[in-house]
Amino acid sequence: MTTDVLIIGGGVIGLACAIELKLRGANVTVLCRDFSTAAGQAAAGMLAPDAENIPNEAMLSLCWRSRALYPQWTAKLEKLTGLSTGYWPCGILAPVYQQPKARTNDQSPAYWLDKSAIGQYQPGLGADVIGGWWYPEDGQVDNRALVQVLRTAAHSLGVELQDGIKVEAIAQQQGQVIGVQTNTGLISAAHYLLAAGAWVNELLPLPIRPRKGQMLSLRVPEFLPELPLTRVLFGENIYIVPRRNRSIILGATSEDVGFTPHNTPGGIQSLLQAAIRLYPQLENYPIQELWWGFRPATPDELPILGNSHCPNLTLATGHYRNGILLAPITATLIADLIWSQTADSLLTNFHYSRFQSQASTTSMLTHSANFTNGNRTNLSTNLSLPSSEFHIEDSGLIIAGKTFKSRLMTGTGKYRSIEEMQQSVAASGCQIVTVAVRRVQTKAAGHEGLAEALDWSKIWMLPNTAGCQTAEDAIRVARLGREMAKLLGQEDNNFVKLEVIPDAKYLLPDPIGTLQAAEQLVKEGFAVLPYINADPMLAKRLEEVGCATVMPLAAPIGSGQGLKTTANIQIIIENANIPVVVDAGIGAPSEAAEAMELGADALLINSAIALAQNASAMAYAMNLATVAGRMAYLAGRMPRKDYASASSPVTGTITS
């Protein structure tokens, strides 16, 4: 049986979508890497769009629509399975310690209860509570019970559930997904749904980070005949969720610590202190269980829903702390989109492209940049070189069948500001800019908003694998880089600057790891531009395995030492049938010109520009040096002689 839809991610969102698609007639397969760490397992199950006071109108509308679906949705699941989801429209009480501010949302029913009223409504609240809001339409569901019901329902309907499957890459050709590479091999389908939660960023360069949440549960002592709590308490930095089975859930921390596992004393202590302050008698209840999980958080804390850059790949991820609440509406909208080709207008608010808007008010300049030193304009790039007058033809730089006029490539690191980087890129006249995938992906210092700061319709992105110490790591990051380029509009960009550097002190590339990674990436259709030591034999071997260029270093990265490997670079140039790009070590325009005079096809220069006192001016100087060096190489240098030769004519001299 051919799979119509392959869902990557077996959490609440993936399972809910699988069931909805199956009910509409699709053949569905769900891949799940680690069922126990999914965000749904670690949630508390609150259905609280009103209590959370969501300010974004589109998000609030999405949450309301999903909450309205809950009674019918859970009833359908319970009928399919005979199991309970623990759905309980119990309302939510939000006690406060200070006079409340005006509520952001006035459209939902909410009632203010003063200290006396709230004490009658829920006895036992802390003495600091001065009142609170009552949200009658909010409620809860037992998230763990819901996950089990979803899995049972999916299985009973004939959805194929594959656990322990790690998706390593999304394979694409010509703008279409052709399969997913997993730890068990390539798996293909007609359509793909990415619902991998906090792990999405390992497959596509979407701005999703894991946000760890620690939680614990207490148990109501058996000597208490009735449940002391019958509704959720939504407090400041704490929520207390009573279950009908006498458990009380306390949550949750919100920690930006990557995928660091385990509970910590500090995290659990903070939850207990906040919970006991809100409802003091909890201090005498026995602790039942501790756990943690990873929520998928986007920068604006809104989900990513809808179409992707590939027509047969749909996105349903980034739900952060509202995955349980949004499961019914997500399943409905995604099934409409995939199976019925119907897009709800609300989806436009959650499209991934919202993260591609310009992050800087400084526009990306592509022509005639001006450079200033203080307030004085001292340089302009309006120089043109009338090469045709000199009868020197240069076909341009051709890499993997793509032609570039500029032979200078630049980078984006080490600049003092995004604006300085933009101006320098423009001043350099370059058409290729290399970007460190891992630093953009993790929003490393100095790289925030970097991907959005350049006009990628005019500049060719060269993703690089900087920071990778092994071939395996570099291959994974290269795949992410290709996806990053596609998301930024360069659908046919398969370039990657390959760096495998385990040496932290000298930053010298690993020749064996580089060759291994290059062989695999070439097989996957990449145009590989490997950064290497100036080793002629390695350069030839990389050419033989199919690399698009070789990029020998002139000197160690960022050293500014100039050409220290001239003899070897000369040998590489003489023997290469692919472009040779001199990379790393160039510190001055004179050295750039010298490298081009050797016959190098191009240069990649970053540190010498970014660390100059006037980066824009240095970028312009490197531009001129690259052009001058190339012109000199094409013109042909005069032969060297061991003796003097007069430049003035010796005939027709005046004699006495």
Side-chain angles (χ1 to χ4, degrees):
M1 180 177 65
T2 302
T3 296
D4 296 315
V5 183
L6 181 67
I7 298 178
I8 305 168
V12 168
I13 297 298
L15 290 170
C17 292
I19 290 169
E20 188 64 28
L21 285 162
K22 185 66 178 179
L23 288 171
R24 299 191 187 195
N27 293 319
V28 184
T29 298
V30 177
L31 307 180
C32 184
R33 62 183 290 167
D34 187 353
F35 179 67
S36 65
T37 58
Q41 289 287 86
M46 287 190 301
L47 310 176
D50 293 339
E52 292 205 21
N53 217 5
I54 296 170
N56 183 282
E57 291 185 7
M59 180 63 170
L60 184 59
S61 176
L62 190 73
C63 291
W64 278 345
R65 286 174 59 178
S66 198
R67 186 184 62 187
L69 292 174
Y70 244 91
Q72 181 181 359
W73 185 63
T74 52
K76 176 176 66 177
L77 293 172
E78 290 174 355
K79 184 177 180 180
L80 281 169
T81 62
L83 302 173
S84 173
T85 62
Y87 172 62
W88 187 7
C90 57
I92 290 181
L93 193 62
V96 297
Y97 301 122
Q98 298 176 351
Q99 193 62 34
K101 300 177 182 178
R103 294 178 61 248
T104 303
N105 167 36
D106 295 325
Q107 302 176 53
S108 63
Y111 306 95
W112 171 252
L113 304 176
D114 62 18
K115 186 176 181 68
S116 174
I118 200 172
Q120 294 176 11
Y121 197 65
Q122 179 56 65
L125 294 174
D128 295 342
V129 172
I130 66 164
W133 295 99
W134 165 239
Y135 300 101
E137 296 188 6
D138 285 349
Q140 63 161 297
V141 68
D142 186 331
N143 55 292
R144 292 187 177 180
L146 176 64
V147 172
Q148 291 300 330
V149 169
L150 287 169
R151 285 181 64 87
T152 303
H155 182 74
S156 66
L157 289 170
V159 173
E160 184 179 353
L161 303 176
Q162 297 188 20
D163 291 329
I165 303 297
K166 180 181 179 182
V167 177
E168 299 170 342
I170 299 176
Q172 298 173 53
Q173 284 185 5
Q174 299 179 337
Q176 293 274 348
V177 176
I178 60 170
V180 293
Q181 185 67 44
T182 74
N183 56 330
T184 61
L186 188 72
I187 303 177
S188 300
H191 198 96
Y192 302 81
L193 174 62
L194 183 57
W199 290 268
V200 161
N201 195 259
E202 295 182 359
L203 301 174
L204 289 180
L206 294 169
I208 293 177
R209 293 178 59 82
R211 194 74 59 82
K212 178 182 173 183
Q214 298 187 52
M215 304 182 70
L216 73 153
S217 65
L218 308 178
R219 184 158 188 84
V220 178
E222 297 299 330
F223 62 79
L224 293 176
E226 297 182 359
L227 297 179
L229 284 173
T230 56
R231 55 189 54 85
V232 176
L233 298 182
F234 192 96
E236 297 179 9
N237 302 315
I238 189 70
Y239 48 77
I240 303 174
V241 183
R243 299 279 199 241
R244 287 169 169 157
N245 64 2
R246 304 182 74 84
S247 291
I248 297 180
I249 312 300
L250 307 184
T253 63
S254 182
E255 306 168 51
D256 192 7
V257 294
F259 287 106
T260 303
H262 305 306
N263 292 107
T264 62
I268 297 302
Q269 182 185 37
S270 68
L271 295 175
L272 288 171
Q273 286 178 339
I276 291 169
R277 182 188 181 195
L278 184 59
Y279 194 68
Q281 62 182 279
L282 293 179
E283 66 180 348
N284 298 314
Y285 290 10
I287 294 176
Q288 183 172 266
E289 184 184 358
L290 309 175
W291 68 94
W292 73 92
F294 303 107
R295 305 183 186 99
T298 62
D300 57 12
E301 299 185 355
L302 304 182
I304 297 175
L305 303 172
N307 296 319
S308 75
H309 60 291
C310 292
N312 66 335
L313 172 65
T314 302
L315 307 175
T317 186
H319 291 75
Y320 188 35
R321 54 190 295 158
N322 287 300
I324 298 292
L325 169 61
L326 292 175
I329 191 65
T330 299
T332 299
L333 298 184
I334 294 300
D336 286 345
L337 186 63
I338 294 176
W339 202 243
S340 304
Q341 300 295 303
T342 303
D344 191 290
S345 59
L346 199 57
L347 286 176
T348 59
N349 299 280
F350 305 103
H351 196 264
Y352 76 88
S353 61
R354 71 184 187 271
F355 298 111
Q356 296 179 10
S357 59
Q358 292 297 319
S360 171
T361 57
T362 303
S363 61
M364 177 55 207
L365 306 176
T366 54
H367 301 289
S368 302
N370 290 327
F371 313 102
T372 59
N373 188 0
N375 294 318
R376 178 171 60 88
T377 300
N378 61 3
L379 189 57
S380 171
T381 62
N382 57 6
L383 174 68
S384 62
L385 294 176
S387 59
S388 60
E389 295 182 13
F390 305 125
H391 306 289
I392 294 179
E393 296 295 333
D394 189 357
S395 60
L397 174 64
I398 302 174
I399 300 176
K402 191 171 182 64
T403 302
F404 304 92
K405 293 181 180 179
S406 173
R407 292 179 178 271
L408 174 62
M409 308 176 190
T410 63
T412 56
K414 299 184 180 180
Y415 287 95
R416 289 169 281 266
S417 68
I418 289 288
E419 290 76 12
E420 186 179 58
M421 182 272 291
Q422 291 173 313
Q423 293 165 4
S424 298
V425 168
S428 72
C430 70
Q431 293 175 288
I432 299 176
V433 173
T434 187
V435 175
V437 175
R438 177 166 280 171
R439 290 171 189 143
V440 172
Q441 179 187 14
T442 59
K443 299 192 186 310
H447 290 72
E448 305 90 341
L450 189 151
E452 298 82 8
L454 297 178
D455 185 349
W456 298 110
S457 67
K458 299 173 182 176
I459 297 173
W460 191 250
M461 177 183 287
L462 176 57
N464 70 58
T465 63
C468 294
Q469 299 183 1
T470 66
E472 294 77 13
D473 200 14
I475 292 168
R476 182 178 66 84
V477 172
R479 292 165 179 160
L480 285 173
R482 179 156 61 182
E483 300 311 312
M484 182 168 71
K486 291 179 185 297
L487 287 172
L488 292 173
Q490 298 186 3
E491 296 286 345
D492 59 339
N493 190 340
N494 61 350
F495 281 40
V496 63
K497 183 191 175 192
L498 176 60
E499 298 183 21
V500 182
I501 304 178
D503 168 28
K505 182 175 181 181
Y506 298 105
L507 299 178
L508 296 174
D510 173 11
I512 298 173
T514 300
L515 182 58
Q516 291 172 340
E519 288 176 323
Q520 178 60 34
L521 291 172
V522 168
K523 291 177 182 178
E524 295 183 17
F526 283 88
V528 182
L529 288 71
Y531 170 64
I532 62 172
N533 293 302
D535 181 341
M537 297 306 297
L538 175 61
K540 200 61 184 175
R541 183 73 182 102
L542 288 165
E543 179 181 337
E544 290 170 354
V545 302
C547 287
T549 72
V550 287
M551 304 181 73
L553 58 82
I557 295 174
S559 67
Q561 294 179 15
L563 284 164
K564 297 296 184 182
T565 58
T566 303
N568 279 15
I569 289 176
Q570 187 71 67
I571 296 172
I572 292 172
I573 291 170
E574 289 175 0
N575 289 280
N577 296 306
I578 55 176
V580 177
V581 183
V582 174
D583 180 14
I586 298 295
S590 59
E591 296 156 0
E594 183 182 356
M596 293 302 294
E597 289 168 12
L598 291 175
D601 294 277
L603 306 174
L604 198 159
I605 302 174
N606 186 176
S607 297
I609 296 173
L611 300 181
Q613 293 183 22
N614 188 324
S616 300
M618 184 59 75
Y620 178 60
M622 291 295 186
N623 179 7
L624 298 180
T626 303
V627 173
R630 179 64 177 176
M631 292 282 286
Y633 171 74
L634 294 175
R637 190 191 189 283
M638 68 168 286
R640 298 179 186 272
K641 298 180 180 180
D642 295 330
Y643 50 86
S645 177
S647 58
S648 299
V650 295
T651 60
T653 56
I654 299 174
T655 58
S656 56

